[in-house]
Amino acid sequence: MQRELLGERVSPVSMDIRPPQSISRCRSFRATSDLAIVRAHLLKHLEYCVMKMRRWKLGCTDISLWLRDKDMHHIGAHKKLECIEQTTLHIITPAVNLLDALTLHRNQKYTQVGFALYNLKPIPIHQQSLFEDPRVAVAEEHLQEAMDVLHTKFGRDSLTRGSALAVNTGTRKELDLPIIQ
């Protein structure tokens, strides 16, 4: 042990490069009853998780969302997606619907929102659907690929949804831009 503490490698280091089984993110914030702020945090988490999932060339079939209120009580919900999804555009609607269902008729102050993508699988070859216009599906994939390029080149906060701008991620100094509501 003394040799290890002195910086000498005693045994070889093995690299484990298996893809993740799930990706999650949660952050705490000041107690707020403003659901627009809670939604903004959710959108930031969603963007981050999808970006990380796509880096591994994976798709998800399940999502989860949880909230913590000011009294440290947790509520959560789970949604199984219809097929393997890999784009923000396909995951955002079920995620926002989960949030709306959790916060419906609840007048609470929330201090944390968490989001998870799980049951991750390699992205299969895209199979056309009878109920989906193939041009729209190709356009959505090209949009996500362009977003991936921008995130890789300029950082993960370089491109975000407008409704998520109200959230300060703490990862970099925010630009001093006014937010018009």
Side-chain angles (χ1 to χ4, degrees):
M1 184 169 180
Q2 182 180 12
R3 290 176 26 214
E4 283 187 65
L5 291 174
L6 292 172
E8 183 180 334
R9 185 170 52 172
V10 177
S11 60
V13 176
S14 63
M15 297 297 289
D16 186 11
I17 53 170
R18 292 178 294 170
Q21 298 295 310
S22 65
I23 298 171
S24 64
R25 187 167 196 232
C26 67
R27 296 289 184 269
S28 296
F29 46 86
R30 290 182 191 263
T32 182
S33 57
D34 185 359
L35 294 180
I37 298 294
V38 175
R39 182 178 297 213
H41 281 281
L42 169 64
L43 293 176
K44 281 289 192 185
H45 296 339
L46 175 90
E47 289 173 355
Y48 175 81
C49 290
V50 169
M51 187 180 358
K52 194 168 181 181
M53 177 180 70
R54 288 181 61 84
R55 234 183 274 144
W56 283 94
K57 300 190 181 346
L58 298 171
C60 70
T61 60
D62 296 90
I63 62 172
S64 285
L65 171 71
W66 61 94
L67 297 168
R68 183 180 69 198
D69 65 21
K70 64 179 177 46
D71 298 322
M72 299 297 201
H73 296 113
H74 286 83
I75 56 171
H78 163 264
K79 170 86 171 142
K80 182 149 185 67
L81 304 175
E82 295 174 9
C83 60
I84 297 174
E85 298 294 357
Q86 62 175 346
T87 64
T88 305
L89 292 173
H90 284 113
I91 299 171
I92 195 168
T93 301
V96 170
N97 289 344
L98 281 179
L99 178 66
D100 292 343
L102 287 176
T103 57
L104 186 67
H105 304 301
R106 290 179 54 99
N107 189 16
Q108 288 286 342
K109 288 192 172 202
Y110 298 103
T111 60
Q112 185 184 72
V113 62
F115 183 73
L117 303 171
Y118 56 100
N119 201 4
L120 301 181
K121 299 178 179 179
I123 298 171
I125 296 172
H126 184 72
Q127 187 172 7
Q128 299 298 327
S129 170
L130 294 173
F131 309 106
E132 178 180 54
D133 184 358
R135 293 173 292 189
V136 172
V138 169
E140 287 175 353
E141 180 57 32
H142 288 316
L143 176 63
Q144 188 70 48
E145 288 171 357
M147 289 170 59
D148 292 343
V149 168
L150 289 172
H151 286 139
T152 302
K153 191 170 184 178
F154 299 108
R156 71 176 189 225
D157 287 332
S158 61
L159 184 66
T160 191
R161 297 193 174 278
S163 53
L165 283 175
V167 174
N168 182 0
T169 61
T171 57
R172 67 176 175 87
K173 185 173 173 135
E174 298 294 322
L175 299 175
D176 190 20
L177 298 174
I179 297 176
I180 301 172
Q181 296 187 6

